[in-house]
Amino acid sequence: MKNIQTITVDSKEQGAEEICNIVRGELEAGRLHVLGLATGSTMEPVYEKMVSSNLDFSDVTAFNLDEYIGIPADHENSYAYYMKKHLFSKKPFKQTYIENGMAEDLDAECVRYETLLKENPLDIQFLGIGENGHIAFNEPGTSPESVTHVVELTQSTIDVNSQYFSEDETMPTTALTMGISSIMQAKKLIVAAFGEKKRAALEKLYAGEISTEWPVTYLLDHPDVTVITDQKF
Ligand code: PGA
């Protein structure tokens, strides 16, 4: 697949190293001004490597893909909290943006975020993949035309992510997410997927056919995608 470059690695840590190398190359070439970030366990070693590196993000603006609705930024399971904990408290950025899942008017919040993205075009976007093939919180069935919007999480995503919430907490079932079209605007996409559980989604991608049921396959229409994985195909 000519638009997809795959880097096969032995471990998440090696994958994180590869991602940092790409980021370093783009920074040094003066091509990285706006960086789209992702959350989840896949990205933790990436941020660890970024933090321990000498990479300088003080002139880079960051955007995050998604955020739960109804939990505040200081809640330990919010993605705002995740980003602060793993990256922003340790590496200064020029500016960081994430959707406000506590906004009173969620539709207005989506418009605000999409406008910010238009004003700050993404140079690189990091992406993880859900076991069900979602990218950000764009669940199966999401339109390729979608921009930042409110989503109902699928049972698969709730089952996977509920492990992070304690028993006496109810996990949010709705979220705000950048849409497929918002993500596809990024000049360069870096997709990280490690472990057997991501294999089915990657198989769909490498099968080369776009399907609404597997949002990751929309990436087949993007001109510059790098997949970093420990799965061999
Ligand atoms: P994970 O999540 O990194 O925790 O596997 C990825 C995703 O759901 O996009």
Side-chain angles (χ1 to χ4, degrees):
M1 246 156 275
K2 60 182 184 329
N3 67 321
I4 301 183
Q5 198 210 336
T6 302
I7 301 176
T8 310
V9 293
D10 291 329
S11 64
K12 269 184 174 194
E13 288 66 33
Q14 202 190 331
E17 191 83 52
E18 294 287 348
I19 293 173
C20 278
N21 287 343
I22 297 172
V23 168
R24 180 182 301 280
E26 294 300 300
L27 265 176
E28 286 175 359
R31 287 192 294 260
L32 178 53
H33 309 286
V34 184
L35 177 58
L37 300 169
T39 51
S41 58
T42 307
M43 300 311 298
E44 283 178 28
V46 177
Y47 299 142
E48 223 172 279
K49 279 263 164 10
M50 279 166 69
V51 165
S52 63
S53 75
N54 60 357
L55 294 173
D56 179 5
F57 295 98
S58 59
D59 221 13
V60 173
T61 297
F63 278 88
N64 263 86
L65 287 170
D66 45 18
E67 179 61 286
Y68 290 115
I69 290 174
I71 55 174
D74 62 358
H75 186 293
E76 62 173 11
N77 283 318
S78 77
Y79 289 156
Y81 187 96
Y82 171 110
M83 288 313 304
K84 198 167 166 194
K85 176 174 163 192
H86 294 288
L87 187 62
F88 299 150
S89 62
K90 301 168 184 162
K91 266 283 177 196
F93 277 69
K94 181 172 159 196
Q95 178 79 13
T96 66
Y97 294 109
I98 187 162
E99 296 96 333
N100 176 10
M102 295 297 284
E104 243 170 67
D105 183 341
L106 293 168
D107 291 336
E109 175 58 11
C110 292
V111 171
R112 181 190 76 90
Y113 206 67
E114 198 62 32
T115 305
L116 283 167
L117 282 167
K118 292 250 148 51
E119 289 166 359
N120 298 274
L122 294 161
D123 294 305
I124 297 180
Q125 176 65 58
F126 290 170
L127 290 171
I129 311 179
E131 290 174 31
N132 64 355
H134 72 206
I135 47 173
F137 274 140
N138 293 287
E139 300 282 31
T142 306
S143 159
E145 316 293 328
S146 53
V147 292
T148 304
H149 63 291
V150 173
V151 288
E152 292 275 346
L153 302 176
T154 58
Q155 196 55 48
S156 156
T157 300
I158 293 168
D159 291 346
V160 173
N161 287 12
S162 57
Q163 60 176 306
Y164 300 110
F165 289 80
S166 62
E167 268 172 33
D168 55 344
E169 269 179 325
T170 331
M171 186 193 145
T173 56
T174 53
L176 293 170
T177 185
M178 274 164 59
I180 299 293
S181 164
S182 341
I183 292 168
M184 296 289 277
Q185 305 296 322
K187 291 191 192 82
K188 192 175 189 60
L189 300 178
I190 300 178
V191 182
F194 305 113
E196 270 288 318
K197 288 183 172 171
K198 304 294 171 75
R199 200 171 169 87
L202 284 176
E203 274 171 355
K204 294 286 173 192
L205 177 66
Y206 290 129
E209 232 174 85
I210 295 176
S211 153
T212 322
E213 286 315 299
W214 291 88
V216 66
T217 61
Y218 288 133
L219 305 186
L220 289 163
D221 265 349
H222 191 283
D224 184 354
V225 182
T226 303
V227 175
I228 320 258
T229 184
D230 61 351
Q231 298 298 295
K232 305 208 165 52
F233 290 91

